[in-house]
Amino acid sequence: MRFNDAYQRVFPAGALTVGLMTPVASASSVASASPVDARPDRMADIGEALELAALADRLGFAALWTRDVPLMVPQGSDNTASALDDPFLWLAALAGATREIAVGAAAIVLPLRHPLHVAKSALSLDRLSGGRFILGLGSGDRPAEFAAFGEDLDQRAEAFRSRWAIVRAALSPDADERAAVLAATGGFEVLPGPARRIPMIVVGSARQSLQWTATHADGWATYHREEARQEGRIELWQRALEQKGVGAKPFVQSVQLELLADPDAAPEPLELGLRTGRHALIAYLHRLQAMGVAHVLFNLGRGRPAREVIEELGAEVLPALGG
């Protein structure tokens, strides 16, 4: 199976690569920033975001990711609302500011979008980026969003599966596989099929069994856990792949990261991540690689300027991983 360039860059065999969630905390945001500057409902500075994307590209990061947040619904332990641009448009802007780094959605809320719209956006973004797009899909979990879009929260698992099949068909280079989308449209293509398969990964559980994900997805992305628990999740993933006889598929992990200026600082746990100096971070990433993690997606905290953190990761951490 021939995937696009994004898959080859983010999931090279036997390696662990590093990506960044975007938009990152403001490059000028520091620990002493005012509460207004630190508000999550503050829109990202576009010029700054494009500069940081180009920097990550030059430094050799594997991917830039973004989330799909349809409505500004407060959530989380601090009950805040996030203001994020449309993920496909945002990633198109990042792709235009970069040359080699992959761009990925983590994740499009599939039950809240028409699958033909998702397929057309994914095909367009893959073409505009030169084959650098990865489509991550999730099932969503905010009741207020499902109510606003007129979708049934309790039926999101079924909606995810049925819409996945249509998107998968449209994103395939194989004419026989695209028959499913032709059936859904009365015989019309969304766009011509891509030259190479656009990878589709499940983000979170998507309300599906691991066996379903192992069979239908090109990889699985989940959140940070304590290492022993994560190792257990990876073992379950690998067992599901073996049971289905589908071969190796990548395991992706997100990490909330606060990289401290002291390179020797000991790691401390954060919600869904850690606060640490780079030496302990490198050791942690080596352990993840040994456990079977293929790609780590960093969501950078607001402690230090983002540019400073990205430069340190690129200069000191990526080379230690072979990047």
Side-chain angles (χ1 to χ4, degrees):
M1 185 180 300
R2 294 184 67 241
F3 286 103
N4 66 5
D5 288 344
Y7 189 94
Q8 314 304 330
R9 181 177 179 86
V10 179
F11 306 124
L16 181 144
T17 64
V18 173
L20 298 172
M21 179 61 77
T22 69
V24 299
S26 171
S28 58
S29 174
V30 293
S32 60
S34 71
V36 172
D37 290 336
R39 277 185 353 214
D41 61 349
R42 186 183 180 94
M43 298 296 292
D45 183 291
I46 296 173
E48 182 175 83
L50 297 182
E51 290 178 4
L52 292 179
L55 174 64
D57 191 24
R58 292 194 302 271
L59 291 172
F61 284 83
L64 299 168
W65 300 87
T66 201
R67 296 184 295 147
D68 183 15
V69 180
L71 299 178
M72 294 177 61
V73 178
Q75 70 167 29
S77 57
D78 53 0
N79 197 39
T80 57
S82 297
L84 295 178
D85 291 289
D86 176 85
F88 290 109
L89 294 175
W90 177 262
L91 292 175
L94 298 188
T98 57
R99 300 184 63 180
E100 297 183 355
I101 197 167
V103 292
I108 300 301
V109 184
L110 188 54
L112 298 184
R113 290 178 179 256
H114 195 289
L116 295 178
H117 286 147
V118 173
K120 183 141 192 171
S121 294
L123 287 163
S124 299
L125 183 48
D126 189 65
R127 191 174 74 87
L128 294 171
S129 66
R132 291 188 284 138
F133 178 56
I134 295 175
L135 178 60
L137 296 162
S139 61
D141 59 3
R142 303 181 186 189
E145 288 181 337
F146 279 78
F149 282 88
E151 297 288 350
D152 189 336
L153 181 71
D154 294 332
Q155 295 299 312
R156 64 190 186 275
E158 293 80 2
F160 184 91
R161 289 194 297 273
S162 63
R163 297 179 191 193
W164 174 285
I166 295 173
V167 176
R168 168 63 96 186
L171 270 53
S172 173
D174 186 277
D176 291 337
E177 291 185 12
R178 291 204 306 280
V181 75
L182 295 177
T185 63
F188 301 102
E189 293 273 17
V190 175
L191 283 176
R196 290 176 290 176
R197 184 180 295 276
I198 299 171
M200 293 171 56
I201 65 174
V202 166
V203 179
S205 73
R207 313 286 293 181
Q208 310 303 318
S209 69
L210 270 185
Q211 287 72 24
W212 186 95
T213 298
T215 302
H216 296 278
D218 301 314
W220 182 38
T222 187
Y223 57 84
H224 169 90
R225 294 177 178 85
E226 185 272 328
E227 289 181 51
R229 290 185 60 215
Q230 195 72 308
E231 187 171 18
R233 298 297 290 175
I234 295 169
E235 290 175 355
L236 289 174
W237 172 239
Q238 293 172 342
R239 191 178 309 152
L241 294 171
E242 292 173 2
Q243 290 172 351
K244 293 300 180 179
V246 293
K249 293 184 180 182
F251 182 96
V252 177
Q253 176 182 322
S254 64
V255 177
Q256 184 75 27
L257 175 66
E258 186 176 329
L259 186 63
L260 300 174
D262 178 4
D264 295 315
E268 304 173 25
L270 292 176
E271 183 178 10
L272 300 179
L274 69 161
R275 177 187 297 113
T276 184
R278 71 168 180 265
H279 293 152
L281 176 63
I282 291 169
Y284 170 68
L285 293 174
H286 281 305
R287 292 195 300 274
L288 291 185
Q289 183 176 4
M291 287 162 47
V293 177
H295 181 73
V296 171
L297 190 173
F298 284 138
N299 194 350
L300 301 183
R302 290 180 172 270
R304 295 164 62 193
R307 177 178 294 275
E308 183 178 305
V309 173
I310 292 171
E311 287 176 341
E312 181 175 349
L313 290 171
E316 305 291 345
V317 176
L318 297 189
L321 301 175

